[in-house]
Amino acid sequence: MGPTGSGKSTFINIATEHDTGVGHSLESYTSEIGIFKLFYPELSDGDIVFVDTPGFDDTHKSDIDILKMISEWLSETYKKNILLSGILYFHRITDNRMAGTPLKNLRMFEELCGKNAFQNVILTTTMWDEVNEEVGKLREEELIHKYWKSMMDRKSKTMRFENDRQSAFNVLAPLLESANERHAIRLQKEMVDMKYQLRETSAGQAMFSKIEDLVKQKQDTLRRIRDEMKRPSDDRETMDGLRAKFRQLNVELDMMGDDMRALKLSVSDRLLKSVVSRLGVRVWR
Ligand SMILES: Nc1nc2c(ncn2[C@@H]2O[C@H](COP(=O)(O)OP(=O)(O)OP(=O)(O)O)[C@@H](O)[C@H]2O)c(=O)[nH]1
Ligand SMILES: [Mg+2]
C-alpha cells in the first residue's frame, strides 16, 4: 500500500517478473486490486502471493473509494480465513516534506493495521537512485525517529528498495522468515468480527477527519479567490484564471461533501457497537 506513484507495482513487477502495470505518466495507474503469484519453493505454501493496490491520492478516484476497494478485498479474504503475512507501505525518499496528505494517509494506514499488526509492516522507501545518498539518509532518519516512530516501536521495520530483484527480496526477507505468523489487521476485525461499516472503522474515522481538514482548507482558498474577484481588474487573463480556479474548487468541494456524507456517523452509534461487541449481546434498534 502507499501513495500513488510510490512504486508499488514496480516492486511487484521486479520481484515476480510479471507485468503488473507500471504507470509512467503523471496520472495514477493501478485502478483495481491485482494478485500476482511467485513460485517460491522455500516456503511451505510454495507461493508468495503479492497484492497490488491502487494508491492513495489518486488522480481520478477519491481516497474513500480506494479505501472502500481495499477494505472490501480485506474483508472477503478474511472471511475465507486468508491472512496476510505482511504489508509493505511504500514511501518515496525523494519526497522532501511529510505534510498534509502523505502524513494523513500514513495515519490512516496506522489505523487500518492496528498496533498488533505493526510487526508485520515493512516501511519501504523507494527512488533511492533519484536522491543524493546523504540527503536520503537524513530523510530516512527523520522518518524513523519521528513519523514512523510509533510503528517502529512496535516492531515495524524499514527497508530500502533499490529497484532490483535482489533488493526486493531483501525487503521481503523479514516477512519470509516468519511467513506463517499471520495476523488479522484491525480493519478486518472491525468489519468482519465486529460488523462495523467502513465509516465506523478506525481507518474510516481517520479518513473522515482528513477530508474534514481538506474541506476547511479549500473553503479558505475559495473565500480568498472570491475576495480577489471582487476587486476590479483590467487583466482579463487573471480574472479568467481566477474564475476557472473558483469553478474547479467548487467541484472538488462538492465531491468531498459526498465523501463526508458517505462517512458520517455519530459517535454514539460507534460506542454502542463496541459495547455490544465486547459484552457479546445483541441490540435491535
Ligand atoms: N527512478 C526510479 N523510478 C521508480 C522507482 N520505483 C518506481 N519508479 C517509477 O515511478 C513511476 C510510478 O511507479 P508505479 O510502480 O507505477 O507506482 P505505483 O505506486 O504503483 O502507482 P499507482 O499505481 O498510481 O498507485 C514509474 O515511472 C516507475 O518506473 C525507483 O525506485 N526509482
Ligand atoms: Mg500501481
Side-chain angles (χ1 to χ4, degrees), residues 15-28:
T16 61
E17 297 175 326
H18 282 306
D19 179 8
T20 53
V22 172
H24 295 291
S25 81
L26 293 178
E27 305 219 334
S28 300

Side-chain angles (χ1 to χ4, degrees), residues 8-10 21-23 29-30 52-54:
K8 302 177 293 297
S9 305
T10 302
V22 172
Y29 196 85
T30 307
D52 193 7
T53 63

Side-chain angles (χ1 to χ4, degrees), residues 13 16 19 40 42 46 49-50 85 108 122 126 129 135 143 150 159 169 177 179 196 240 248-249 258 280:
N13 180 297
T16 61
D19 179 8
Y40 194 74
E42 286 91 330
V49 182
F50 293 88
S85 298
M108 199 269 301
I122 311 274
T126 57
D129 53 322
V135 173
L143 288 165
S150 60
M159 302 291 283
F169 279 89
E177 271 167 30
Y196 280 10
D240 285 350
Q248 172 68 21
L249 270 171
D258 290 346

Side-chain angles (χ1 to χ4, degrees), residues 49-164:
V49 182
F50 293 88
V51 184
D52 193 7
T53 63
F56 291 103
D57 258 347
D58 191 284
T59 332
H60 308 291
K61 287 195 174 75
S62 74
D63 280 350
I64 181 71
D65 287 335
I66 305 282
L67 181 63
K68 220 183 267 170
M69 205 186 289
I70 294 176
S71 68
E72 276 163 16
W73 189 87
L74 285 169
S75 303
E76 286 315 306
T77 46
Y78 183 59
K79 282 182 200 158
K80 294 179 192 153
N81 285 326
I82 300 170
L83 296 176
L84 303 172
S85 298
I87 306 182
L88 307 187
Y89 188 81
F90 286 81
H91 176 87
R92 288 174 297 242
I93 202 67
T94 42
D95 283 4
N96 62 6
R97 290 287 183 274
M98 254 320 247
T101 326
L103 190 56
K104 296 221 165 69
N105 281 334
L106 176 69
R107 298 292 167 241
M108 199 269 301
F109 174 73
E110 288 180 56
E111 295 298 335
L112 177 144
C113 290
K115 293 187 174 68
N116 294 338
F118 284 178
Q119 57 189 302
N120 283 12
V121 172
I122 311 274
L123 299 155
T124 310
T125 45
T126 57
M127 312 273 171
W128 281 93
D129 53 322
E130 298 274 345
V131 80
N132 169 295
E133 167 88 24
E134 276 309 302
V135 173
K137 214 166 153 215
L138 286 174
R139 286 183 192 154
E140 188 182 43
E141 301 216 327
E142 206 176 336
L143 288 165
I144 292 172
H145 295 296
K146 197 165 174 189
Y147 299 101
W148 291 345
K149 187 170 185 316
S150 60
M151 299 186 83
M152 300 206 53
D153 285 348
R154 289 183 182 257
K155 299 206 171 74
S156 292
K157 294 178 189 60
T158 178
M159 302 291 283
R160 297 179 183 184
F161 173 51
E162 280 161 353
N163 227 1
D164 60 47

